[in-house]
Every structure is written in structure tokens, then in C-alpha cells.
């Protein structure tokens, strides 16, 4: 016989249990977990001058309690609670979209409920992110783990903006969607395959914080009486595109709405994308796009007359359509002394439209710059997706983009497509939000060290 703690997962014989402290410190997950003793109703709040024997609480406080932060908050059912946060820890708020990843989210939800306090885990199907954000809003240094696709992450970031907390919590991603482009850029992988959730929590603990640009998008129709599909978002986190790739995404979206049972796995979704891409190659619905579109970057109108483009993509992150890097690899300048091994500092953000200069423009999702790329057709998209071609055609790097169209065209924001009548589109910088960058994989770290040694 023995004792097992469901919080720190330690198991001891009865004889051994008497030799350790009765207080649970959370074990391996102490940086993430809110123990039951950290949450109590406000009416049972213990006063600082209260003696240890005067409390009716069944749990004893640890020595850290005297230095803990205490905050009043409210649960979904309106119950007033006081949360005690131990300094130096980062309580984790977990949001799970159970519909993402072919219903894989339901299993993930149960796993986190077992490892962490159930009050830290929220099913987005019920009331969205707001109840969880309100419950945690006054806790210092808490983190968020978004379990879902890129749309789920955008939803959570929008809700954080509306609540406007004192400090914006950094967000990590457990990718359960189809594309998972943002998760790829943040080193959280292209899709969760049912691995050890404990490793995911350890990776969140060892992650580093960095900023992500977010962009406001305004769509103004030329004729307000001409009705098109509703614009899905007013904020761009990943990318915006017009033309061939949006046409493929729109066909996929329409078919999924009609027959959701055919889209219940990540592999099936990719096969459908391949089929619609093949169809688009032959139909070429966005041929001669330059005749119906004008692109202006920081006041400079791009000359598209000599280009046979079928698509335009505005990029914030270096991943699109499940890992395709449309901007491609950037060449390094050779105008510095190699012996010093000192790379020149990055120039101040400026508009670049010159073809030669664009070869040296580095893409960074925290530099408050957008990258504009041209696509020649569905065939080129397929070549980039499969790795046969490195990238699209670089057109510009700028801080503001204005697009004017004269024809009904397919468009998409972060993978959500719609059909848009003639309009003017303006994309401007909105803000920056902290995201968590996953630790580098051991393989990448190994090759990076070898590369550095070879340079030396």
C-alpha cells in the first residue's frame, strides 16, 4: 500500500510518506500548475495575522505563501475566488478547440485536465476564451497555451485585445489545425501527432518570448449595394492573398461546408487541397490578374504590366499553406569583413521595391514590415508546396499596402477565404503581441553547432 499525489504525480510507500513534507509543491509542473491550495473562495480568505491553528482549511500553507500574490477573480458561475500565485512561477491557461485536428482536441482536453488543475483548462466550444481570460486576468506572469489551428490563435489574441489586461500574456501553440503556419514559425511544429503532453508542457516552460506583428485590414467596396461574402477578419496575423491560392482555398471551404464528414483528418484535407489545386491549374480563373488589380506600397504603385501573375500574397510570417515559404531564402551581403565575424546592423525599416535590393531583404515577423509576393499560377503554388521551387516573385517590402480591384476576386485572410466584389483594401500596422518561441529541436541544434564550427 502507498500514497499517490494527483498533482505532483509522486507515489510513496506509507513508511516513506512520513519522512517528507505534507505540502505538495506541484512536482515537475510547479511552474505551470495552480494547486487547490492556491484557489479559495473569497469568504474563506485567511488574514495575514491569522494563526496557523485558526484556519478551517484542510490544506496547510507552504513557506512561499507569505510572499505570494493574491488576486480576486470570478469564475464562469459567478463564484468569487481568490487566486494565490507563487512568485517566480508562470501559471498556464490552456484553451482547447475540440473540433480542431479531426476531433483530436477532445483527447488533448482530457490529458490536460488530468495533468493540471481543471480550472486552468477551458473548452472553447462552450463560452470561448473570455471566461478563462477573466479568471486569470490579474495573475502576474501567466502564460497561455492555445490548442488548435491558426484561427483559434487569432480568436484568442482578439479576445485578449478586448479585455486589455495590464500585461499581455505570451501565447504558445499546440498545433491541431490543418495548415498551422504560425505554429511552424514559432517552432511548435506542423501538427500534434498525439505525443507526450508532459513534453509539450516542458517545452512551454523552456520557451522564449518574442513579439509578433499584427495588421489591421480595411475592405471598402466600390459599390456598397453590390453584395459579396462577409469579410472574415479585420486583423491579419499570418497573411492576406488575392487570386489563385485564395481560389483554391475558397473551393476547399465551400466543399467542407457541404460535406464536413469528408474533412475529418489532416491528411484528407491536404489531398483535397491537391485536387482543387489541379482543377485550378486547368481552369485558370485568375488569369491576367494585373489587368484587374493595382498594388500600392507606401505610396509607390507597383508596375505589374510585364508580369503574368495569377495571385498576390501579403506576408507577415514566413509560412503559408502548411509550411510553404513564398518569400524564400535571402541572400547575404558580402560587404563586411569576414575576419571580424561581425555582421552589419540591420538598416532602419524602409520601403524596398528594387528587384536587386529585394534579394537581400530578410523576412521577420516582428520588424513591422510586410512582404509582397507575386504568384504565377496554381502550378507554381504546387511546385513551392512540394519544394520543387523555392519561392514566388518578390515584389516589395513595406509598412503599408493599398490594393484596388475592379473585378469579383477570391481573397483570403489567414486561410479564411471569401469572394469580394471590386473594392479598395488597406493594410496597416496595428500592434505587437508577445508569443512564445518553442525551444529548438536537438537535430537543428546539432547542425547549427556543426555549421558554426565549420565557419570557425
Amino acid at each position: 500500500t502507498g500514497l499517490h499525489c494527483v498533482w505532483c504525480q509522486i507515489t510513496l510507500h506509507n513508511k516513506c510518506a512520513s519522512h517528507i513534507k505534507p505540502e505538495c509543491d506541484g512536482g515537475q509542473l510547479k511552474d505551470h500548475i495552480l494547486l487547490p491550495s492556491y484557489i479559495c473562495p473569497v469568504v474563506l480568505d485567511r488574514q495575514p495575522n491569522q494563526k496557523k491553528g485558526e484556519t478551517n482549511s484542510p490544506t496547510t500553507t507552504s513557506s512561499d505563501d507569505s510572499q505570494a500574490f493574491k488576486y480576486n477573480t470570478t469564475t464562469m458561475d459567478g463564484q468569487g475566488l481568490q487566486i494565490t500565485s507563487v512568485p517566480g512561477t508562470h501559471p498556464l491557461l490552456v484553451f482547447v478547440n475540440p473540433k480542431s485536428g479531426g476531433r483530436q482536441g477532445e483527447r488533448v482536453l482530457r490529458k490536460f485536465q488530468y495533468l493540471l488543475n481543471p480550472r486552468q483548462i477551458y473548452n472553447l466550444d462552450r463560452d470561448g476564451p473570455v471566461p478563462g481570460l477573466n479568471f486569470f486576468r490579474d495573475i502576474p506572469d501567466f502564460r497561455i497555451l492555445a490548442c488548435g489551428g491558426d484561427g483559434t490563435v487569432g480568436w484568442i489574441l482578439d479576445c485578449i485585445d478586448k479585455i486589455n489586461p495590464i500585461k499581455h500574456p505570451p501565447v504558445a501553440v499546440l498545433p491541431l489545425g490543418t495548415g498551422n503556419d504560425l505554429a511552424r514559425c514559432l517552432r511548435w511544429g506542423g501538427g500534434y501527432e498525439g505525443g507526450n503532453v508532459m513534453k509539450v508542457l516542458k517545452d512551454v516552460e523552456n520557451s522564449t518570448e518574442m513579439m509578433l506583428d499584427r495588421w489591421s485590414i480595411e475592405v471598402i467596396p466600390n459599390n456598397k449595394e453590390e453584395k459579396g461574402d462577409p469579410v472574415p477578419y479585420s486583423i491579419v496575423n499570418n497573411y492576406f492573398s488575392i487570386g489563385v491560392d485564395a481560389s483554391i482555398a475558397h473551393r476547399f471551404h465551400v466543399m467542407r461546408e457541404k460535406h464536413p464528414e469528408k474533412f475529418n483528418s489532416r491528411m484528407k484535407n491536404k489531398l483535397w487541397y491537391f485536387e482543387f489545386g489541379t482543377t485550378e491549374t486547368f481552369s485558370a480563373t485568375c488569369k491576367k490578374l494585373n489587368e484587374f488589380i493595382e498594388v500600392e506600397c507606401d505610396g509607390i504603385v507597383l508596375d505589374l504590366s510585364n508580369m503574368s501573375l495569377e495571385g498576390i500574397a501579403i506576408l507577415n510570417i514566413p509560412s503559408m499553406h502548411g509550411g510553404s515559404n513564398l518569400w524564400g531564402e535571402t541572400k547575404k551581403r558580402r560587404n563586411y569583413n569576414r575576419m571580424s565575424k561581425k555582421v552589419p546592423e540591420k538598416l532602419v525599416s524602409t520601403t524596398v521595391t528594387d528587384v536587386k535590393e529585394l534579394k537581400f531583404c530578410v523576412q521577420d515577423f516582428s520588424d513591422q514590415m510586410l512582404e509582397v509576393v507575386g504568384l504565377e499560377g496554381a502550378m507554381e503554388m504546387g511546385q513551392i508546396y512540394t519544394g520543387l521551387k523555392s519561392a514566388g516573385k518578390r515584389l516589395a517590402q513595406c509598412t503599408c499596402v493599398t490594393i484596388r480591384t475592379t473585378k469579383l476576386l477570391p481573397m483570403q485572410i489567414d486561410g479564411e477565404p471569401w469572394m469580394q466584389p471590386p473594392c479598395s483594401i488597406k493594410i496597416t500596422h496595428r500592434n505587437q503581441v508577445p508569443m512564445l518561441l518553442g525551444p529548438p529541436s536537438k537535430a537543428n541544434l546539432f547542425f547549427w553547432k556543426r555549421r558554426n564550427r565549420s565557419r570557425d
Side-chain angles (χ1 to χ4, degrees), residues 351-359 361 394-397:
T351 308
V352 181
T353 57
D354 182 71
V355 176
K356 293 180 180 179
E357 281 297 313
L358 284 171
K359 293 178 181 178
C361 290
R394 296 188 180 188
L395 300 177
Q397 188 178 52

Side-chain angles (χ1 to χ4, degrees), residues 82-157:
Q82 186 178 73
I83 300 177
T84 305
S85 177
V86 177
T89 63
H90 305 85
L92 190 65
L93 172 59
V94 182
F95 291 115
V96 182
N97 187 344
K99 293 181 179 178
S100 296
R103 314 295 297 187
Q104 197 176 27
E106 295 175 353
R107 295 190 293 273
V108 170
L109 183 71
R110 291 193 294 269
K111 288 180 180 179
F112 280 118
Q113 285 175 334
Y114 174 75
L115 289 174
L116 301 175
N117 192 325
R119 286 198 181 275
Q120 295 177 248
I121 320 301
Y122 285 82
N123 184 339
L124 292 176
D125 246 7
R126 295 184 178 176
D127 293 284
V130 174
L133 292 170
N134 281 330
F135 186 56
F136 271 67
R137 65 180 299 165
D138 294 323
I139 302 176
D141 299 324
F142 80 93
R143 293 170 172 171
I144 292 175
L145 177 60
C147 305
D150 291 339
T152 301
V153 179
W155 183 17
I156 293 168
L157 292 176

Side-chain angles (χ1 to χ4, degrees), residues 70-281:
K70 296 184 178 181
Y71 294 89
N72 293 339
T73 187
T74 306
T75 59
M76 289 170 61
D77 55 6
Q79 181 185 6
L81 295 177
Q82 186 178 73
I83 300 177
T84 305
S85 177
V86 177
T89 63
H90 305 85
L92 190 65
L93 172 59
V94 182
F95 291 115
V96 182
N97 187 344
K99 293 181 179 178
S100 296
R103 314 295 297 187
Q104 197 176 27
E106 295 175 353
R107 295 190 293 273
V108 170
L109 183 71
R110 291 193 294 269
K111 288 180 180 179
F112 280 118
Q113 285 175 334
Y114 174 75
L115 289 174
L116 301 175
N117 192 325
R119 286 198 181 275
Q120 295 177 248
I121 320 301
Y122 285 82
N123 184 339
L124 292 176
D125 246 7
R126 295 184 178 176
D127 293 284
V130 174
L133 292 170
N134 281 330
F135 186 56
F136 271 67
R137 65 180 299 165
D138 294 323
I139 302 176
D141 299 324
F142 80 93
R143 293 170 172 171
I144 292 175
L145 177 60
C147 305
D150 291 339
T152 301
V153 179
W155 183 17
I156 293 168
L157 292 176
D158 287 347
C159 290
I160 295 173
D161 280 351
K162 291 174 183 175
I163 288 178
N164 194 24
I166 299 172
K167 180 184 176 183
H168 197 298
V171 181
V173 186
L174 181 64
L176 300 180
T178 303
N180 303 312
D181 291 297
L182 184 57
R184 292 171 191 271
C185 298
L186 295 171
R187 293 206 296 240
W188 296 110
Y192 175 69
E193 300 293 345
N196 189 354
V197 173
M198 184 68 82
K199 181 183 180 303
V200 175
L201 293 173
K202 278 296 175 185
D203 286 344
V204 173
E205 184 177 347
N206 297 323
S207 61
T208 54
E209 190 174 314
M210 66 183 308
M211 304 306 289
L212 171 72
D213 290 324
R214 302 182 77 214
W215 303 81
S216 296
I217 180 167
E218 186 181 8
V219 180
I220 306 170
N222 294 350
N223 183 1
K224 294 183 179 181
E225 295 181 358
E226 192 175 0
K227 293 185 178 179
D229 299 333
V231 180
Y233 303 127
S234 60
I235 297 173
V236 178
N237 295 313
N238 300 354
Y239 56 83
F240 165 80
S241 69
I242 300 176
V244 58
D245 62 309
S247 177
I248 297 169
H250 187 259
R251 294 184 186 194
F252 177 89
H253 178 74
V254 171
M255 180 63 77
R256 185 169 58 179
E257 291 293 311
K258 289 182 180 179
H259 306 284
E261 71 281 357
K262 295 181 180 180
F263 298 82
N264 55 7
S265 75
R266 195 176 290 117
M267 180 55 67
K268 284 184 180 180
N269 291 350
K270 290 186 176 182
L271 290 174
W272 277 109
Y273 259 111
F274 177 78
E275 180 177 330
F276 293 132
T278 305
T279 307
E280 178 64 30
T281 303

